[in-house]
Amino acid sequence: DNFRTVLDFNGAFGQTFWPILGWTFTWAIFATFLNYILGMLLAILINKKEVRWKGFWRFCFILYIAVPQFVTLLTMRTLLQPNGAVNVLLREWGIIAQDAALPFFTNATWARVTIIVVNIWVGVPYTLLTNTGILQNIPTELYEAAKVDGTSDFRYLTKVMIPICRPTIITITILKVIECWNSYVWPR
């Protein structure tokens, strides 16, 4: 009876349950795949031979790790206030009206977008570090052999890099899903 009550689309409980479940899956997908894809792309980009100052670029992306996450969240809150840097820049660029501000904290949709963006800000550097370690251990002979064979960068990514990174991809995905499940389905 309880399951029937909760899963009923027309009931009061069902009208609450289904949107929350939808948001949980949306969050899990964005938290997992965007973090991994963006982290992987940054790792590939930074590890290219042509890129100079690799250490500096890694430092820029992992700087927040040196700062406690509480301070990072306070910084984000300050940036997103009605008179914070983000709204001021949007006003200066003419994207929003001079007397307007995007409601990052009061509107549910903007709050969700903000949470996803902050999660990307926090999650991508970890994936970047993980993938950098893996990419640096791929023998350069594989890359050189692929170039000699005329393999495109995309084909090298899909046929060499991703298969080598597959165990890490699976592990990170499982850990992210468990993290999302624990954070949103079973709040502490």
Side-chain angles (χ1 to χ4, degrees):
D1 288 339
N2 288 338
F3 282 110
R4 211 174 288 120
T5 303
V6 169
L7 298 177
D8 180 22
F9 284 104
N10 299 323
F13 288 115
Q15 290 178 353
T16 303
F17 173 75
W18 289 108
I20 290 173
L21 183 66
W23 165 244
T24 300
F25 281 117
T26 302
W27 166 257
I29 289 167
F30 277 103
T32 302
F33 294 110
L34 277 180
N35 279 343
Y36 193 81
I37 290 168
L38 294 174
M40 175 68 127
L41 290 175
L42 280 173
I44 290 169
L45 184 69
I46 290 174
N47 284 309
K48 283 188 167 270
K49 284 184 179 181
E50 302 84 33
V51 174
R52 294 173 30 192
W53 304 331
K54 293 177 196 259
F56 172 75
W57 293 116
R58 280 190 210 107
F59 169 77
C60 288
F61 286 106
I62 63 170
L63 177 63
Y64 96 93
I65 294 172
V67 179
Q69 291 200 4
F70 181 72
V71 174
T72 302
L73 292 175
L74 287 175
T75 304
M76 289 303 214
R77 186 187 73 178
T78 303
L79 290 173
L80 298 171
Q81 291 294 328
N83 288 323
V86 173
N87 278 313
V88 169
L89 284 174
L90 291 174
R91 281 188 217 112
E92 289 293 321
W93 294 338
I95 295 173
I96 60 175
Q98 286 298 323
D99 58 343
L102 291 179
F104 293 110
F105 302 117
T106 56
N107 179 292
T109 303
W110 277 108
R112 289 176 178 164
V113 169
T114 303
I115 288 171
I116 290 171
V117 169
V118 170
N119 180 65
I120 289 170
W121 171 265
V122 172
V124 167
Y126 284 116
T127 309
L128 168 74
L129 287 176
T130 305
N131 287 327
T132 296
I134 294 168
L135 294 175
Q136 287 178 345
N137 287 317
I138 295 175
T140 55
E141 293 83 19
L142 288 176
Y143 182 73
E144 292 167 0
K147 284 297 171 193
V148 168
D149 289 342
T151 304
S152 67
D153 286 342
F154 180 76
R155 192 152 171 85
Y156 178 75
L157 173 74
T158 58
K159 299 296 182 185
V160 177
M161 283 186 184
I162 291 180
I164 290 173
C165 297
R166 189 173 292 136
T168 305
I169 293 171
I170 292 169
T171 303
I172 289 174
T173 303
I174 290 170
L175 291 175
K176 260 313 192 185
V177 168
I178 291 170
E179 175 190 336
C180 291
W181 181 263
N182 287 336
S183 298
Y184 292 96
V185 176
W186 304 110
R188 294 178 186 132

